[in-house]
Amino acid sequence: MPKLNRRAFLAVAASGAVARGLPKLAQAPVGKRVLTLVYDKSFGAMRAIDRVVR
């Protein structure tokens, strides 16, 4: 098993969440998409949060 550091683990977890949520997003009813940028202190960088608002 490869050793993962914190940043690699977060990247793998995020890509897994996107892969799971992508089919649901494709079937979602049409709504307004809101992109919010937030500063994540634990990650030490900006993070994008994409939401669908009905």
Side-chain angles (χ1 to χ4, degrees), residues 5-44:
N5 58 14
R6 182 178 178 181
R7 183 172 287 167
F9 174 77
L10 290 174
V12 169
S15 65
V18 168
R20 266 188 304 175
L22 194 59
K24 292 178 187 174
L25 242 160
Q27 296 173 355
V30 177
K32 184 177 178 183
R33 294 180 70 127
V34 177
L35 179 67
T36 308
L37 294 174
V38 295
Y39 183 76
D40 190 352
K41 289 181 182 178
S42 64
F43 194 56

